[in-house]
Amino acid sequence: MSAVQRHAVVAGAGIGGLTAAVALHRHGWRVTVCERAAGPTAVGAGIVLAPNALRAFDTIGFDVTRAAGRAVPAAMGLRRPDGRWLSRADTAALAARFGGPPLALHRSALADALAAALPATAIRYGVAVTSVDDADGSPVVRTDAGDLEGADLVIAADGIHSPLRRQYFPDHPGLHHSGETAWRTVLPAAASPAGTVTAETWGRGERFGVVPLADGRIYLYATAVVPAGHRPADVRAELLRRYGTWHDPIPALLRRIDPAAVLQHDLYDLAAPLPRFHQGRLAWLGDAAHAMTPNLGQGGCQAVEDAAVLGHLLAGTGTEGVPAALAAYSAARCARTDAIRVRARRAGRVAALSHPLAVAVRDVAVRATPARATNRAMTALFDGFALPDGMDTVPAGVAARW
């Protein structure tokens, strides 16, 4: 390892960028995180960390439960608008099979905990990275607050609309609209009816999700097949019109939302995979590398996996070895993330079916799916994470349950 402290510049303080910064910091790197937002914000929605993401966090020695608590729902599954269950899984069984149950928490709580694990001066808010020059040699990071020179590594965690992806892959077709929009919000704990369980309800071209968070709040999301850019004038009225006759507790929850706190985003993924996730000393991760629709709940989880693998491969690497380590990162991550991107797109098409006959066939097929097939599908996601070339650089104190 070089005697000179290595320096990484991270573009973006989302979950992936912050996790990468923490991983590198714990392996002795100096990190500078540039975030375009003026400061940390409590605005946002929930995130469900599946067992694969929790395992990835463990490999960098980060305890998510300090930010989230340990409360988990007793069950989770799919329902019809009339409340009938299409499928249901016991979280205790998931924990026994995969080493731990999924953990749902507010994104801002997770981001705050990750930021707290970094030096106080590591994050520069109100600084947007606009481009990176000479990524193959001595990268110069261009920002709207001036240039940063001398970085040994640059991480593009700059989101689904990544300027750095567009800069280095100008011929890539970009984003693909799924045909759906999504609304998301978080309600206070007092607004959650007793006995609320984690469930996603499938209708005709519409879905509604209810996820109790570990801190007692409740995360709501809904999707509908509408043209890109559709924005209702009255969000509560729109949601009640679409979902207000669905099973309890959906109507009661909708009456308690704050329209000003509802986020709406059209759903996109990458139209095609990137040919690689690196260029010289520049690496892409998370949505910048492999934007996917949220149908499998793996977008944030894959960003966390990216960060853990990147930190692992760079842990014992001197400055001269960074390009080779990033090439190994591409080799380790491209196939898995693209397989999940494609699978999420296919799952979304099934969930968004709207013709009555197609919906009826879909619901029967879900109910008839054997448990072993469901277990195989979950195993591919939840047991698919591994650090390349063993676990030699895992920090001391990593939980033994994995």
Side-chain angles (χ1 to χ4, degrees):
M1 184 183 298
S2 171
V4 178
Q5 187 177 34
R6 301 154 296 173
H7 180 212
V9 174
V10 181
I15 300 304
L18 289 173
T19 304
V22 171
L24 291 172
H25 170 65
R26 293 187 172 184
H27 286 303
W29 286 69
R30 179 167 67 91
V31 294
T32 300
V33 182
C34 297
E35 168 54 44
R36 66 172 64 92
T41 175
V43 175
I47 181 172
V48 178
L49 298 174
N52 55 302
L54 296 174
R55 182 178 301 172
F57 272 128
D58 273 350
T59 67
I60 66 172
F62 181 78
D63 183 2
V64 179
T65 61
R66 291 186 178 181
R70 297 179 180 274
V72 296
M76 55 198 304
L78 295 175
R79 305 178 79 172
R80 301 193 324 181
D82 62 6
R84 185 179 181 186
W85 288 94
L86 296 173
S87 67
R88 194 171 186 180
D90 181 80
T91 51
L94 290 177
R97 184 176 180 85
F98 298 111
L103 184 64
L105 65 159
H106 199 289
R107 283 180 178 268
S108 66
L110 178 57
D112 289 348
L114 288 165
L118 294 170
T121 59
I123 305 176
R124 300 185 183 179
Y125 290 106
V127 177
V129 173
T130 56
S131 63
V132 173
D133 295 339
D134 194 20
D136 291 315
S138 299
V140 178
V141 181
R142 310 289 187 189
T143 83
D144 55 7
D147 295 345
L148 297 175
E149 299 183 6
D152 301 297
L153 165 71
V154 181
I155 298 176
D158 51 347
I160 191 170
H161 299 291
S162 170
L164 298 182
R165 185 180 65 228
R166 293 196 299 269
Q167 179 187 356
Y168 281 88
F169 300 100
D171 297 326
H172 187 273
L175 299 176
H176 159 265
H177 182 230
S178 70
E180 293 182 280
T181 196
W183 296 273
R184 296 173 297 147
T185 194
V186 174
L187 298 182
S192 178
T196 300
V197 297
T198 297
E200 182 170 287
T201 302
W202 287 2
R204 294 172 49 187
E206 297 171 331
R207 286 176 283 168
F208 197 96
V210 178
V211 183
L213 302 182
D215 64 4
R217 288 182 287 181
I218 188 163
Y219 168 40
L220 306 180
Y221 64 88
T223 70
V225 176
V226 297
H230 170 80
R231 296 294 184 272
D234 187 330
V235 173
R236 180 188 281 113
E238 174 83 352
L239 296 177
L240 283 169
R241 179 182 68 82
R242 291 180 177 276
Y243 313 101
T245 61
W246 289 20
H247 65 80
D248 291 334
I250 292 174
L253 293 172
L254 286 176
R255 287 191 290 270
R256 296 172 184 175
I257 66 170
D258 174 5
V262 176
L263 305 175
Q264 183 179 355
H265 296 93
D266 298 327
L267 298 182
Y268 290 87
D269 63 1
L270 279 193
L274 294 183
R276 61 191 181 279
F277 290 171
H278 76 287
Q279 176 68 46
R281 293 178 178 274
L282 172 61
W284 285 263
L285 63 72
D287 283 347
H290 45 68
M292 59 187 68
T293 53
N295 301 300
L296 300 178
Q298 281 288 312
C301 295
Q302 290 305 304
V304 173
E305 285 193 15
D306 290 344
V309 170
L310 193 59
H312 170 76
L313 291 169
L314 289 162
T317 302
T319 59
E320 70 287 345
V322 168
L326 297 191
Y329 163 71
S330 275
R333 297 299 298 158
C334 284
R336 173 164 166 80
T337 55
D338 194 57
I340 295 174
R341 178 189 66 86
V342 171
R343 184 173 162 187
R345 181 184 291 187
R346 291 173 177 167
R349 289 172 178 166
V350 173
L353 290 171
S354 58
H355 190 282
L357 180 58
V359 168
V361 172
R362 175 198 68 192
D363 291 355
V364 169
V366 171
R367 286 178 57 82
T369 300
R372 62 181 180 276
T374 301
N375 288 336
R376 282 198 303 269
M378 287 192 293
T379 297
L381 291 178
F382 299 164
D383 276 350
F385 168 73
L387 293 178
D389 300 324
M391 304 286 283
D392 295 340
T393 61
V394 175
V398 168
R401 69 179 182 276
W402 302 112

